[in-house]
Amino acid sequence: MLYAVAICFLAGLGAGLGTGFAGMSAAAVISPMLITFLGVEPYMAVGIALASDVLASAVSAYTYGKNKNLDIKNGLVMMIAVLCFTLVGSFVSSLVPSTAMGGFSTFMTLLLGIKFILRPVMTTKSTMQSVSVRKRFWQSVICGSAVGFICGFVGAGGGMMMLLLLTSVLGYELKTAVGTSVFIMAFTAFTGSVSHFAIGGAPNMWYLLLCVLSTLLWARIAAKFANKASPVTLNRATGVVLTVLGLAILAVNYL
């Protein structure tokens, strides 16, 4: 039992830091650890990870919103596009053989971490707000559609893709990008976890409770730190967290 508690705590620690700092989906960390170390069935492991993501993303979004680092209007537009095109991607994926790309999310996490260390996002809020409302709306629709389709087709990478597109394409400064990303992830994770449990049945409640509480705790700590940090410090901290998590997940999956 102590072994299971330790694994769930460590999985939640990694997932919570990834969520609070970078809007990363808990599934990228929790799923491989539950599968590898506790022998949880993969479909159920993803359900537990998504359920852990719901409260962690919600409390992170609340923290970012309280510090005025959340774009709810365009976040809702992107969320609707993500949810719709996730269904489209899933349908297309069912028609195409051998679409498994399990390492996609892991490699993206690692590369994005290195990117934040070497090329930090230094966009300011004034620059971000200079974009016209109409342009921002259509950017949100297009980017949300792309994220949703790839998530549905590949089955992973939503949080990382949103962060990359929000900072690189929509021109968000890092804190607002993470705040908007976790806001979207709270709803998408809830939808995903409910569907997983509805199809796969009830999960191991101890694993679920331990993962949810650990992820929630560390997401709260990371989000509070991130909102108080300077842009340079936040970029470096986010980069280090993502790089370490990417390497750790690679080690779990392939070693």
Side-chain angles (χ1 to χ4, degrees), residues 15 18-19 22-26 28-29 53 109 159-160 181-182 185 242 245 249:
T19 300
M24 178 180 175
S25 172
V29 179
D53 213 5
T109 300
M160 292 297 91
S181 178
V182 290
M185 288 301 297
L242 292 179
L245 286 175
I249 299 166

Side-chain angles (χ1 to χ4, degrees), residues 138-231:
W138 286 111
Q139 284 178 328
S140 299
V141 170
I142 294 168
C143 290
S145 301
V147 170
F149 182 83
I150 293 175
C151 284
F153 191 78
V154 175
M160 292 297 91
M161 283 191 60
M162 272 191 280
L163 184 63
L164 180 62
L165 291 174
L166 286 168
T167 54
S168 301
V169 178
L170 276 76
Y172 278 46
E173 58 94 26
L174 185 55
K175 290 181 184 179
T176 307
V178 176
T180 305
S181 178
V182 290
F183 172 74
I184 297 168
M185 288 301 297
F187 291 93
T188 56
F190 176 77
T191 304
S193 62
V194 169
S195 64
H196 269 70
F197 295 149
I199 295 170
N204 181 305
M205 296 309 294
W206 278 111
Y207 293 170
L208 176 63
L209 182 63
L210 290 169
C211 286
V212 167
L213 292 178
S214 181
T215 306
L216 178 62
L217 169 66
W218 290 103
R220 174 66 171 160
I221 292 171
K224 290 192 73 170
F225 172 83
N227 278 278
K228 292 179 180 178
S230 67

